[in-house]
Amino acid sequence: MAGKKSVFDNPVLSTKVKSANVKIFPEALIGYLVGPFCGLLANSLLSTYLNTYFKEVLFAGEVTAGVNAFLTIFPMVSAILIVAGNLIAGQIIERTRSRAGKARPYILLSAVTVAVASVLIFIQPIDNPVFKMVWLAVAYNLFYAVAFPLYNTANSALVPVSTRNGKQRGLLASLVNMAVLGGAGAGSIIFPQILAALAGPFPNENAVSATGEGLPGSNGYLITFIVIGIVTFIGCLAQYYFTRERVTEESMLKAMPDDGREEALPGRKGPSMKEQARALFKDKFFVITIVFYLLYQLSGSIKNASMQYYTLEIFGEQWANMQTILGIVGAVPMAVAIVFVAPLCNKFGKRPVVFAGMIVGVIGGVIAGLFYDDIVPAAIGIALKCLGSAPAGYMILAMLADCLDHIEAKNGFRCDGFGMSVYSAILIAAVPLATGIVNGIVSIGSYGTVVAYIWIETGAYALAAIVVLFFGVEKFIAEDKEKILARQKAEAEAAGIEWIEPEERLRREEEEADRLAEAARVAELKALCEKKGLSFEEEEAKYQAKQEEKRKVAEEKAARKAAKGSPRKED
């Protein structure tokens, strides 16, 4: 069935990923780690430093009752627009049909929109308090309610639609969330030193002054975020080119005749927003996962937003060094955990591993809370809390993907757009909500910063541990896959289209991609030989000899690995 041509039919915009299975390089590392890290970096830094920028730089010397009320109310009111923006983004993605998939086109668009919107927040055309409030409200919501929801919803949806292979999906979910945590780590470890280097200690006793003496000025922030915008642009492009939506292709393209044409099932209309919402929120496993994630994300955002206040109140002039130390002791366990979280979840299941992690997080939080003013035990407690949070942080997208597959098996349609828009709304709206909450809590005194930075997240982890005990969707994974494939086969046969198993179709595509790549290589070598007067046969023989040597080395390595893993015979 011929469809309308779109910009994504252009070979220039084709994915660089041709393999049927997810491979570590380049797809996993570039598409799900490097790309998302760059795409999420601006949001990670804004969530930690934007509130301080508002008070200590943008409105320095202008902190009146009206300004204070604005800075407290407008982020929380913006949360309404942010939730709406995420829901709209989800529906846009769900209704998109293109050769690039339904999520990847918006990764490409975000290369420009996210970069530009993050920079607009730090532009000050007119030095007038009222104008600055209006400009800030507009620029803030352009980023948080428009640009970032579209990127983050698309980014989140990529894991569920990348593959149905649970182990591969768990790896990708881990890498995406590692990118999120990497951005937070950059904000707490590197950025304080950058700010300090821009203009001395930040903030200090002269922070609230008309001249902003001793502070990085607005130009310092602007230049910094222009650089971050460039990083975002490059990262989103890399993410677009090194990802692939195999599940989306599977649902859109049901057959591949011998002539290579792709055929789509006719007359298939996507579910309405109401149908998606009903399917999602009638599923207990999805509701459990969303409640769990709400506890995890909101408490984490409160911790991030209060970190600078905590280090300033408790450690005084040493705030920047203490913040860097706490950032390091929090980041190292998370980085180490990436090695064992996915294997443990593959062996024991996500539920027991995430539950155990939450318990470890609670223990660490109690230690840090009891010794909050002593950096050594406080750092040990923070390290334990971060280690405990690792399974939840790395596996949340895989947990949601399992829920979406289960919902598809029950209802006959996918809800990636709406489901991921709910996830994205929680991630993004948690920042302004946390800002308002922290502004209220820290006003009660220095111990309020301890409550915000340590105790709220510790209590949330205890509740989350109870909630995750009811996450039982994993026992349905194999059955769900069988139901989905059986339904797809029946639909194809009813439409008179030859049914081809998704794995077989992907295998054929990979073989065709390899054939085309080989043909291109041969053509290039012939052109080179003709240009330089070389013998094509001799050069081709050299190439084949090198390939044969590589094959032998790979076979020997595999044989040694197999011999090492085989059990020894009894003497």
Side-chain angles (χ1 to χ4, degrees):
M1 178 177 292
K4 293 182 179 179
K5 289 281 186 179
S6 78
V7 66
F8 296 105
D9 291 320
N10 190 321
V12 174
L13 295 179
S14 296
T15 177
K16 303 302 180 185
V17 176
K18 306 300 181 183
S19 59
N21 289 301
V22 175
K23 295 184 178 179
I24 295 295
F25 186 84
E27 184 176 5
L29 291 181
I30 296 180
Y32 292 87
L33 179 60
V34 176
F37 173 81
C38 297
L40 295 164
L41 184 58
N43 178 68
S44 299
L45 297 179
L46 290 175
S47 65
T48 302
Y49 294 99
L50 198 55
N51 196 43
T52 308
Y53 167 77
F54 292 162
K55 289 188 173 183
E56 314 297 353
V57 177
L58 184 61
F59 293 104
E62 300 169 348
V63 183
T64 63
V67 170
N68 282 332
F70 169 76
L71 292 178
T72 300
I73 295 171
F74 111 84
M76 303 189 77
V77 172
S78 296
I80 300 172
L81 296 175
I82 290 169
V83 171
N86 278 275
L87 294 177
I88 293 171
Q91 292 311 294
I92 291 172
I93 290 170
E94 193 61 51
R95 283 163 170 71
T96 297
R97 297 289 184 272
S98 75
R99 185 173 290 275
K102 58 184 178 181
R104 291 177 59 247
Y106 301 102
I107 299 291
L108 183 62
L109 177 63
S110 296
V112 175
T113 56
V114 173
V116 172
S118 64
V119 172
L120 287 176
I121 294 176
F122 298 97
I123 293 176
Q124 297 180 29
I126 299 175
D127 189 16
N128 175 277
V130 175
F131 181 86
K132 284 193 286 189
M133 284 189 281
V134 173
W135 179 276
L136 177 60
V138 173
Y140 183 93
N141 283 290
L142 279 175
F143 180 85
Y144 278 110
V146 180
F148 193 66
L150 199 56
Y151 170 77
N152 194 57
T153 303
N155 176 58
S156 304
L158 275 177
V159 170
V161 300
S162 61
T163 177
R164 289 196 190 274
N165 185 300
K167 292 183 178 180
Q168 293 175 7
R169 197 156 59 185
L171 169 66
L172 299 183
S174 297
L175 292 175
V176 170
N177 284 290
M178 188 176 183
V180 176
L181 298 168
S188 60
I189 297 172
I190 302 172
F191 212 60
Q193 307 302 326
I194 294 175
L195 292 177
L198 284 172
F202 174 66
N204 62 12
E205 59 186 359
N206 298 319
V208 182
S209 65
T211 61
E213 183 181 354
L215 295 173
S218 58
N219 286 340
Y221 277 93
L222 179 60
I223 292 170
T224 301
F225 273 84
I226 287 174
V227 173
I228 291 171
I230 295 171
V231 171
T232 299
F233 179 81
I234 296 172
C236 287
L237 284 182
Q239 186 176 5
Y240 171 79
Y241 278 110
F242 293 101
T243 50
R244 182 177 181 183
E245 299 184 27
R246 295 173 180 84
V247 175
T248 304
E249 295 169 10
E250 173 189 312
S251 62
M252 291 174 61
L253 307 171
K254 304 298 184 182
M256 182 181 288
D258 292 337
D259 61 6
R261 290 179 297 104
E262 295 171 337
E263 298 182 16
L265 286 178
R268 185 88 180 261
K269 185 179 180 181
S272 67
M273 185 173 178
K274 183 178 180 180
E275 289 172 325
Q276 293 177 66
R278 185 187 298 116
L280 287 169
F281 290 106
K282 282 181 67 177
D283 184 79
K284 64 180 179 180
F285 300 123
F286 179 81
V287 173
I288 286 167
T289 307
I290 286 299
V291 171
F292 173 86
Y293 183 61
L294 180 61
L295 290 167
Y296 175 85
Q297 187 62 37
L298 181 58
S299 63
S301 295
I302 292 172
K303 177 193 71 175
N304 291 338
S306 59
M307 185 179 192
Q308 195 169 28
Y309 291 106
Y310 165 73
T311 54
L312 181 65
E313 288 289 338
I314 303 303
F315 300 108
E317 294 180 357
Q318 294 298 312
W319 77 271
N321 292 333
M322 294 301 103
Q323 188 170 334
T324 298
I325 290 171
L326 292 176
I328 292 172
V329 300
V332 170
M334 296 293 290
V336 172
I338 188 67
V339 176
F340 61 80
V341 166
L344 285 176
C345 288
N346 289 335
K347 184 174 182 179
F348 299 107
K350 301 178 186 72
R351 177 172 60 179
V353 175
V354 172
F355 172 78
M358 290 290 97
I359 297 302
V360 172
V362 170
I363 294 171
V366 170
I367 294 172
L370 293 177
F371 301 98
Y372 65 90
D373 56 351
D374 189 335
I375 188 61
V376 175
I380 292 172
I382 295 299
L384 280 175
K385 187 148 68 76
C386 291
L387 178 64
S389 72
Y394 289 138
M395 285 293 118
I396 185 63
L397 278 175
M399 292 166 67
L400 283 169
D402 291 343
C403 293
L404 292 172
D405 280 358
H406 186 60
I407 292 167
E408 181 186 5
K410 290 195 302 181
N411 297 278
F413 55 81
R414 292 191 67 82
C415 303
D416 299 296
F418 194 97
M420 289 302 103
S421 66
V422 174
Y423 166 85
S424 183
I426 292 173
L427 174 67
I428 304 173
V431 174
L433 289 175
T435 299
I437 292 170
V438 169
N439 283 340
I441 293 176
V442 299
S443 64
I444 66 176
S446 61
Y447 195 72
T449 65
V450 180
V451 171
Y453 181 63
I454 298 174
W455 286 115
I456 287 179
E457 188 175 49
T458 302
Y461 281 10
L463 292 174
I466 297 172
V467 170
V468 81
L469 286 175
F470 298 94
F471 178 79
V473 73
E474 290 174 286
K475 63 184 178 182
F476 296 103
I477 289 176
E479 179 185 339
D480 289 340
K481 184 176 180 180
E482 291 178 2
K483 286 182 179 179
I484 291 167
L485 293 180
R487 184 181 292 119
Q488 290 176 355
K489 183 176 181 180
E491 290 174 347
E493 290 175 347
I497 298 174
E498 179 194 1
W499 166 254
I500 298 176
E501 291 280 351
E503 290 84 355
E504 174 62 16
R505 180 174 60 79
L506 289 171
R507 186 191 66 77
R508 293 187 190 182
E509 288 183 7
E510 186 169 5
E511 285 183 353
E512 178 64 10
D514 290 342
R515 185 189 67 78
L516 293 174
E518 176 64 12
R521 182 196 67 78
V522 170
E524 289 174 2
L525 182 59
K526 285 182 177 179
L528 179 67
C529 291
E530 185 176 342
K531 181 179 179 180
K532 295 191 174 183
L534 301 174
S535 168
F536 168 74
E537 288 74 15
E538 291 179 3
E539 296 302 315
E540 177 67 9
K542 292 178 184 177
Y543 172 82
Q544 294 298 340
K546 288 181 181 179
Q547 294 302 107
E548 182 62 27
E549 183 64 27
K550 287 181 181 180
R551 280 192 289 270
K552 287 181 180 179
V553 171
E555 288 173 0
E556 290 173 0
K557 184 177 179 181
R560 287 195 299 270
K561 186 176 181 181
K564 189 180 296 184
S566 61
R568 295 181 179 179
K569 294 183 179 180
E570 298 277 344
D571 291 333

